[in-house]
Amino acid sequence: MKSKVLLWSLLMLFFIPQTAALANGEDDEENVVEEIEEQSYHLELNEWKEKGLDSIAQFERAISPSSFIGIDDNELLSPSESQGYEDRVFYWRNQKSLTVEVEVEEEGLYEIGFDYLPQGDLIMPIEGAIQINGEYPFSESRQIVFPSKWKNETEEFETDRSGNEIIPKQEPIEQWSHVKAEDSTYMYKRPLQFHLKKGKNTISLLNLRGEMLVGDVYVTSPEQIPDYEDYAASRKDAKKHKELKTYEAEHPSEKNSSYIRPVATEDPSVHPYSQDSLQLNTLGGDSWREPGQTVSWEVEAEEAGFYQLSFKAFQENESRAPVYRKLLINDRVPFKEMEQYQFKYSKEWYNETLSNEEGEPYFFYLEEGKNKVSLKADPSPHGRVLFAIDEVMREIDELSLSIRKLVGNQQGSRDWDIEEYIPGVEEQLLGMAEKLTKEVDYLVTLNDGQESTEIASLKIAIDKLKNLAAEPDEIPNKLTQLSTGSNSAAQLLGDISMNLSKQPLLLDRFYVHGDTSIPDAEAGFLTKAKDSVSGFFRSFTEDNLATAEVEEDTLEVWVNRPRQYVELLQNITDQNFTPETGIKVKYSLMPDEQKLVLASAADTQPDLALGISNWVPYELAIRGAAVDLRQFEDFSEVGRQFSPGAFLPLVIEDGVYALPETQDFFVQFYRKDIMEELDIPIPNTWEEVTSILPELQRYGMNYYTPLAQESAFKPFQTTSPFIYQFGGSLYEEDGIGTTIDEENALEGIQFMADLSTIYSMPLQVPRFYNHFRYSTLPIGVAPFGTYVELTTAAPEISGWWNITPQPGIEQEDGTVERWASGSGQASMIFDGSGKKEDSWELLKWWMSTETQTEFAVNLQTLYGPEYMWNTANLQSFKQLPLPEEHKQVIVEQWEYLKEVPKTPFSYMVEREISNVWNKVVFDGENARAAVDDSVILINREMRRKLEEFGYMEEGEAVKPYEIPTIEKVERWLEADE
């Protein structure tokens, strides 16, 4: 499943015929590139086994930091600084590497382990890469994860204003740990093995992300895990105990992800349970589904001996497939049968007593006193399926690229004899189908004959491949069935791959017991019926965050965000803001931000609205329904926390009607491994971008811009950067007319069309994230959403990509204009509020550096790294748990943040610029002529809208509609300095 870290596209030069060479019979020698990528571990391991290499028996070597190679003595911390290690340690950080030398007497396969103590920010995982004798032995060695340990800040759950228990804050456990190098996606049930030659070998650990103290490095023979029969026989004299002890799953002693969290399950079958309030009574579910996530509980044994383990589980996986856990006792797998233990799909709670296939329970040996019982999410039973899917997806991508090169823009316009250009395409497609069919059979066996969603989707993908193979000449006209459509074989396989790796499991409690009965998992029928009736009547009075009447002395705030955001915001407000100010606040989930105008007209609006799109305050303000924040004395001081360019769509004349809440960014992403290997410089200007395109395209790659988004409509965020960077503007200074027909603006419009028509940049890219991972688009401009995806959902390329400010236009003085939008959400106060001063106090507190930072950190700690909070508060953003070098790039790009100002007719300007681009690119129209036609339409709509709002009468301007500028906003913000 692991993607090749270096460019698989390079291999296309070996496998995919170049169209010109096919047509002309020319040699393609200039395209021959040395294969530099590594194989996946499972392929490398098979080759080692075939060569007779095997695991080494009984070898262990520990290398202390004092023996690390190439490290000065002053780079090591003293024992007093080692935080409990009591020896010298190495502070591993800032892209540094450590290297050890080990001499082995026998060539073979060894495991590598590390003593380590995480340091610094621990929300994002600590990642490194391992080289053996200066080389990466397999692709998985490019990403090794060092988990951090977490625990609840408090053992007892606090309650909110409604008496419901709230998820406690998380804190890291500052404790030295030991880990053996594993695949970061945990697709293998055992630690990775590394080939060492006889004699001296060097082992290097490169820093990719995060920091930690490193103690001894270990090179050992692979651990031998007994089967259950041998395990039990080795302790045949141990006593089997009969007592029963119950442990609540929601109170673990530690976990390796802060966001594995307790869940309030409303079901009388779980413990504890209350009809009157929400109890955090279970653990996991969707927060415990990622591979490798581990939860541990402390178990007390009064006497050493054998005990059974039973887990009360609920496993309603959407796919109806079983999930798997690896069980560890005191950090070791007790016997082989516990490496991949299956928890079946069930819509009801059930007790899973860990047993063999015949239902005979296993007995586990516990030492007297405290023991640690751990469960680790383990997708390795699906590993072979994921490897096969990954291989087929690569074949599909290669075939699709070959076909696109062949047909160009002639798709659907002619008949093809595909076999003439791509020999063996039918056999290739049938081979893919056959490969997937074998995996279907394996999954059916694994699922005890039950069909899951993944099995059904695999069958559909197989049928699509077979249908294409039956009519190969139609493939150019049916690429949407193969690779580009939302229901294509490639998309289906991608979805299956993601789903098979997820392993969600919800636990209520577990039992340590002997041959004694344990409580039923499900409550009785009468108990459930009584609770159902009570729940019905309770639903009329419980606080579910829906909009409702609030008390007179309470601020009513509507929030346009998911429930978990609102719950966290309510909690920190109740804990911090209300005690400090005495102002009560009630947050509610916003029903629909587009109805805020109607709510204001009906006088049912709240006091404030948070998380709304940045066009909403303008629509309310121009109708007199929003408060001008400049009326507050300290507005300038508050406003200096934000980028001046973010205020532009929030301004009408001399008023500012909202504060920026979140902020997007468009930066340049690039694959470090690919660009360095091909020796392609990272462009700083658009001229440099166009200069590297021939080299990229020679290898079947390209450059991405947001213009290639799937939609035919190109919004301002994709078009305005080009106009602004070329020195153009969108409106006349007095707002009466558009200026897109002026020379600079026209030059920008022409250039963004040329990118597709002359420079052959892609016209449509369904998802840049996928193409970036698979290297067809190893560089391009993309927003915050892509940053989140690559940071949290692309582990196979972690550490092998970077960002820079986006390209711009070089000026005569050598500076580069990089203007770009940064559309985010905003917060505003309604003019109908009777508590404007209190509302302003809340808004200031909410957008303050301290509150924004606390909210951002808590959000990620409780819900996971993907819950990044892109606050618009610049100082708070600099404190967020992101790599420092990335924050520096983003803040630098924000210096060129320039949102498009709103006008009553701005939607028409946006639409017509999009239309011009489509006409030039697809219809071949002249840019000047297309713009002239659009200006006529824009001005016609402008007159109509400006008359509606009193700026024109009978086609004549009666007062100017002043377009806000960054300079004007800066003057406002500097007023009180």
Side-chain angles (χ1 to χ4, degrees), residues 541-774:
T541 58
E542 65 183 5
D543 181 6
N544 59 5
L545 295 179
T547 54
E549 290 291 329
V550 299
E551 296 176 4
E552 184 62 30
D553 62 345
T554 302
L555 285 177
E556 182 180 9
V557 186
W558 291 1
V559 187
N560 187 37
R561 296 201 179 278
R563 176 176 293 272
Q564 58 266 43
Y565 289 76
V566 182
E567 289 177 342
L568 177 59
L569 179 53
Q570 184 72 69
N571 291 336
I572 66 172
T573 302
D574 291 344
Q575 293 167 4
N576 300 329
F577 177 75
T578 299
E580 292 170 5
T581 64
I583 300 171
K584 298 178 182 178
V585 183
K586 171 67 171 67
Y587 296 100
S588 300
L589 291 168
M590 188 177 297
D592 183 355
E593 70 171 13
Q594 298 190 30
K595 294 181 180 178
L596 284 174
V597 175
L598 296 177
S600 178
D603 199 27
T604 58
Q605 75 281 349
D607 296 296
L608 298 93
L610 308 183
I612 54 178
S613 300
N614 71 353
W615 58 266
V616 174
Y618 177 89
E619 295 297 332
L620 290 161
I622 203 167
R623 292 169 173 83
V627 169
D628 177 7
L629 303 183
R630 289 192 66 207
Q631 68 180 264
F632 299 109
E633 291 183 0
D634 51 355
F635 168 77
S636 299
E637 179 184 351
V638 174
R640 286 194 288 273
Q641 300 176 108
F642 310 99
S643 298
F647 282 101
L648 297 182
L650 311 175
V651 172
I652 300 178
E653 297 181 5
D654 289 330
V656 177
Y657 293 91
L659 291 181
E661 185 175 301
T662 60
Q663 196 160 278
D664 206 340
F665 52 79
F666 286 82
V667 294
Q668 179 173 251
F669 294 79
Y670 68 94
R671 289 282 297 271
K672 293 191 295 187
D673 49 353
I674 296 167
M675 303 301 281
E676 289 172 7
E677 187 63 35
L678 298 180
D679 197 26
I680 297 176
I682 307 305
N684 186 46
T685 66
W686 286 111
E687 183 179 1
E688 292 174 3
V689 170
T690 58
S691 71
I692 69 171
L693 284 175
E695 188 72 3
L696 284 172
Q697 292 164 354
R698 186 163 76 92
Y699 295 118
M701 296 177 283
N702 216 319
Y703 189 100
Y704 173 83
T705 73
L707 285 166
Q709 292 172 357
E710 267 195 294
S711 171
F713 175 69
K714 308 301 175 187
F716 273 144
Q717 65 182 22
T718 67
T719 59
S720 65
F722 293 100
I723 295 174
Y724 287 149
Q725 289 175 20
F726 275 86
S729 61
L730 300 177
Y731 309 106
E732 297 284 0
E733 288 185 11
D734 63 359
I736 312 299
T738 180
T739 56
I740 65 171
D741 56 346
E742 292 184 356
E743 197 59 39
N744 289 343
L746 187 61
E747 189 178 357
I749 293 172
Q750 181 67 65
F751 179 76
M752 67 184 184
D754 289 346
L755 290 176
S756 297
T757 58
I758 295 178
Y759 297 107
S760 300
M761 281 192 185
L763 289 173
Q764 190 177 85
V765 176
R767 201 175 176 198
F768 172 59
Y769 157 75
N770 281 333
H771 288 268
F772 189 77
R773 291 172 62 208
Y774 288 106

Side-chain angles (χ1 to χ4, degrees), residues 771-790:
H771 288 268
F772 189 77
R773 291 172 62 208
Y774 288 106
S775 311
T776 48
L777 293 170
I779 184 169
V781 174
F784 168 72
T786 300
Y787 183 85
V788 175
E789 288 182 312
L790 292 176

